[in-house]
């Protein structure tokens, strides 16, 4: 039984360490951006570690002052330049996206 408790403790510490590292690195990026007068947002990519760590990493970004952007492809619509070009302009691309 003691082995299982220690095993669980080790796992919990690894998860907390990873979350803390993501939060710290995000905080540094946000701080540097502000120091240079950048008005944009520091946002996380969707391409995080698969599985449970995705949620841990997104939480770390949030705690560090960043924007989690989106959790998955279904969270919001994103139009890239090739979508806009194929649709014949931004207005047409937005209308097509809303119909989809």
């Amino acid at each position: 039984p003691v082995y299982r408790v220690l095993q669980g403790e080790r796992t919990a510490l690894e998860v907390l360490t990873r979350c803390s590292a993501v939060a710290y690195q995000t905080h540094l990026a946000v701080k540097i951006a502000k120091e240079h007068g950048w008005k944009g947002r520091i946002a996380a990519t969707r391409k995080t570690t698969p599985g449970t760590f995705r949620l841990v990493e997104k939480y770390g970004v949030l705690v560090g002052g960043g924007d989690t952007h989106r959790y998955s492809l279904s969270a919001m619509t994103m139009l890239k330049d090739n979508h806009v070009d194929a649709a014949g302009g931004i207005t047409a691309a937005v209308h097509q996206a809303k119909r989809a």
Side-chain angles (χ1 to χ4, degrees):
V2 172
Y3 172 75
R4 294 287 182 206
V5 170
L6 293 175
Q7 191 176 32
E9 178 187 38
R10 172 56 44 204
T11 302
L13 286 172
E14 294 292 336
V15 170
L16 288 172
T17 299
R18 187 177 193 105
C19 184
S20 178
V22 170
Y24 179 69
Q25 291 299 319
T26 303
H27 170 74
L28 289 179
V30 169
K31 180 180 172 190
I32 290 168
K34 285 182 180 177
E35 287 172 354
H36 287 84
W38 192 58
K39 302 297 182 198
R41 297 180 299 180
I42 300 296
T45 177
R46 182 181 44 82
K47 296 172 178 78
T48 55
T49 306
T52 306
F53 272 119
R54 177 168 286 148
L55 185 60
V56 171
E57 290 168 350
K58 290 286 191 175
Y59 181 71
V61 168
L62 189 64
V63 168
D67 184 350
T68 57
H69 184 51
R70 60 183 178 165
Y71 189 73
S72 67
L73 288 173
S74 64
M76 70 175 68
T77 301
M78 181 169 64
L79 299 173
K80 294 179 153 186
D81 58 348
N82 55 336
H83 300 130
V84 173
D85 292 343
I90 187 66
T91 303
V94 170
H95 288 305
Q96 288 177 18
K98 286 183 176 182
R99 285 195 305 265

